[in-house]
Amino acid sequence: MNPRSLPVAASLDAPDPVLERVLIEDTNNSSQGGERNFLAHQPILLDQVSKSFRGEVVNRSFSMKAANRNDEDLENGMLEKDIEKSVRSNKVVTVHNKALLSGVAYCISSCSMILVNKYILSSYGFNGGISLMVYQNFVSVVVVSSLRVFGIISTEPLTWRLVRVWLPVNVIFVGMLITSMFSLKYINVAMVTVLKNVTNVITAVGEMYLFNKTHDNKVWTALFLMIISAVTGGITDLSFHAIGYTWQIINCFLTASYSLTLRRVMDTAKQVTKSGNLDEFSMVLLNNTLSLPLGILLILLFNEVDYLSRTPLLLLPTFWLVTTFSGLLGLAISFTSMWFLHQTSATTYSLVGSLNKIPLSVAGIFLFHVSTSLENSASILFGLLAGVFFARAKMQDKSQTRS
């Protein structure tokens, strides 16, 4: 991935450079004023002193001017140091603002993507989930290819060797997106968010058997709490839909499989690229490009062509506007996640991703007028907090493994 830098924050007890500059200017003014008063009285004093002492007075005047010059040099040096401190402080504030801005952009794009998809599938009543996925990926391919043509970004060329290595990952990727569309049509956003926690359980078990990776008790406790919240949330869900829950469970297995397979394929994929690396932009272009022919094949198999030929939604300009916006949001998640990771650390990124599910769930309940009970709301909140606890436990587990 990209290099990650730790967030930097300004010290609270750091001296205020503006205040110091004001004090220095006041000191300069008072010093210069005293010198002017002294020089103004010099002729009167020289008239009253004898000629024998005139040389001594002149020598003292020269020594005082030299001392004043030394004081001015010292004050100028202090002023330069204050300017350097001010510049460093401004850089710190700039880094902090970039981290905050990138985090906000990542949260908005990730939340908006799910909410807009829910709006298309439920509020518009669009039944072409595969077609929606294909169009969104097509938008991503067009945007990334345009950025590459204009020289804004660079991507790895799509060679046949790379396609063969990546094809198994892409098949799982397409299945993951399609099942997500199908489940989101029948289940409310809050419950989808809680049920997605099951993916962490499957991934942890897969890591244990495929990569011989061990987890501490805190991680397993968090995973157990996730399972409890998913079960209790499903039992208390007033809008329970068996088809939607089935698609979501399949989606959890496919998402975990995508994560585990990606780890195995990534090293091989890097070896068949020209640069020996595969960055996020290349992965986005590779996944979305390969998904287009496979998605078109699935549209034919699921007979969505017949639905697309009959639905009046394709005649609405607003529908095309919303679907295009959803495709741009999908691409924005990739860009903002890279930006956020570059400005902060993996720890901050993971915690923000877990905490981001809380406002997403609340927004999903209120925007789509989901009928819920106190028990179901408590289960959802319990599952979201379990996700935060899992993120913290996972990070502690990684730090202990490294040490």
Side-chain angles (χ1 to χ4, degrees):
M1 289 293 290
N2 296 321
R4 296 160 189 171
S5 57
L6 293 174
V8 184
S11 176
L12 294 176
D13 56 352
D16 189 349
V18 178
L19 179 60
E20 285 191 356
R21 191 177 297 109
V22 172
L23 293 176
I24 291 174
E25 289 174 355
D26 291 341
T27 305
N28 290 337
N29 292 334
S30 61
S31 176
Q32 293 172 359
E35 185 180 353
R36 284 195 297 269
N37 292 334
F38 175 78
L39 293 175
H41 288 81
Q42 281 297 318
I44 302 174
L45 291 174
L46 291 174
D47 289 338
Q48 295 176 354
V49 230
S50 61
K51 293 181 180 180
S52 59
F53 294 100
R54 186 169 298 175
E56 182 181 355
V57 173
V58 172
N59 291 335
R60 288 183 180 179
S61 176
F62 280 122
S63 63
M64 291 182 67
K65 289 181 179 179
N68 287 334
R69 282 196 298 268
N70 292 334
D71 291 340
E72 290 178 357
D73 293 339
L74 179 61
E75 290 168 356
N76 290 335
M78 293 174 62
L79 185 59
E80 289 177 359
K81 290 181 179 179
D82 291 334
I83 294 175
E84 291 177 0
K85 290 181 181 179
S86 177
V87 171
R88 286 196 299 266
S89 177
N90 290 335
K91 287 182 179 179
V92 168
V93 172
T94 302
V95 171
H96 181 70
N97 289 340
K98 284 184 178 179
L100 179 62
L101 182 62
S102 61
V104 172
Y106 167 69
C107 291
I108 292 176
S109 59
S110 59
C111 286
S112 300
M113 179 65 180
I114 298 177
L115 295 175
V116 171
N117 280 343
K118 179 65 175 177
Y119 181 74
I120 295 173
L121 297 170
S122 297
S123 299
Y124 272 111
F126 186 66
N127 292 322
I130 304 176
S131 303
L132 177 61
M133 182 272 297
V134 170
Y135 182 71
Q136 289 175 344
N137 291 357
F138 173 75
V139 171
S140 298
V141 170
V142 171
V143 174
V144 174
S145 300
S146 301
L147 294 176
R148 183 185 60 181
V149 169
F150 288 106
I152 300 176
I153 63 172
S154 60
T155 59
E156 290 291 330
L158 302 183
T159 62
W160 176 242
R161 292 180 62 193
L162 181 59
V163 170
R164 282 189 301 173
V165 171
W166 199 261
L167 192 58
V169 180
N170 188 256
V171 171
I172 302 175
F173 172 75
V174 171
M176 179 182 67
L177 294 181
I178 293 176
T179 53
S180 177
M181 293 287 187
F182 289 166
S183 64
L184 193 59
K185 179 175 178 60
Y186 299 104
I187 310 177
N188 65 74
V189 173
M191 279 308 306
V192 166
T193 305
V194 172
L195 292 173
K196 280 183 178 293
N197 287 335
V198 179
T199 303
N200 296 321
V201 181
I202 303 171
T203 304
V205 175
E207 288 175 341
M208 187 174 61
Y209 284 99
L210 296 177
F211 303 103
N212 296 322
K213 182 177 178 58
T214 59
H215 302 287
D216 60 11
N217 293 330
K218 289 184 179 179
V219 174
W220 289 114
T221 301
L223 294 174
F224 180 70
L225 295 177
M226 289 179 177
I227 295 175
I228 293 178
S229 65
V231 173
T232 56
I235 294 174
T236 58
D237 187 6
L238 299 179
S239 57
F240 179 85
H241 200 290
I243 297 178
Y245 272 73
T246 301
W247 281 120
Q248 184 55 52
I249 295 300
I250 297 174
N251 175 260
C252 291
F253 277 96
L254 289 173
T255 305
S257 300
Y258 177 75
S259 175
L260 296 172
T261 308
L262 191 63
R263 298 182 193 182
R264 284 185 172 275
V265 174
M266 182 61 74
D267 293 334
T268 308
K270 290 180 179 179
Q271 294 174 3
V272 298
T273 58
K274 290 186 176 181
S275 65
N277 191 23
L278 194 64
D279 59 10
E280 185 74 16
F281 295 116
S282 299
M283 287 177 59
V284 169
L285 184 60
L286 181 61
N287 262 332
N288 290 311
T289 302
L290 294 181
S291 69
L292 296 181
L294 184 57
I296 294 173
L297 177 62
L298 292 174
I299 289 175
L300 297 175
L301 291 177
F302 280 79
N303 197 25
E304 283 193 4
V305 177
D306 181 58
Y307 168 76
L308 295 175
S309 62
R310 290 184 292 103
T311 179
L313 292 175
L314 300 183
L315 302 177
L316 298 177
T318 54
F319 177 78
W320 284 105
L321 182 64
V322 174
T323 52
T324 304
F325 180 60
S326 67
L328 295 175
L329 282 175
L331 190 59
I333 293 176
S334 300
F335 290 154
T336 55
S337 61
M338 288 179 59
W339 184 27
F340 190 33
L341 268 172
H342 181 72
Q343 295 298 329
T344 59
S345 63
T347 301
T348 306
Y349 179 83
S350 179
L351 277 178
V352 169
S354 299
L355 293 171
N356 192 36
K357 295 178 181 178
I358 298 177
L360 172 62
S361 301
V362 175
I365 291 175
F366 282 98
L367 290 177
F368 298 102
H369 308 288
V370 178
S371 57
T372 182
S373 61
L374 180 61
E375 293 82 4
N376 185 247
S377 300
S379 300
I380 293 172
L381 180 60
F382 183 72
L384 296 175
L385 295 178
V388 177
F389 179 62
F390 171 76
R392 290 182 58 87
K394 191 77 172 176
M395 286 180 291
Q396 292 176 0
D397 188 22
K398 287 183 179 180
S399 63
Q400 292 175 359
T401 303
R402 291 173 183 175
S403 61

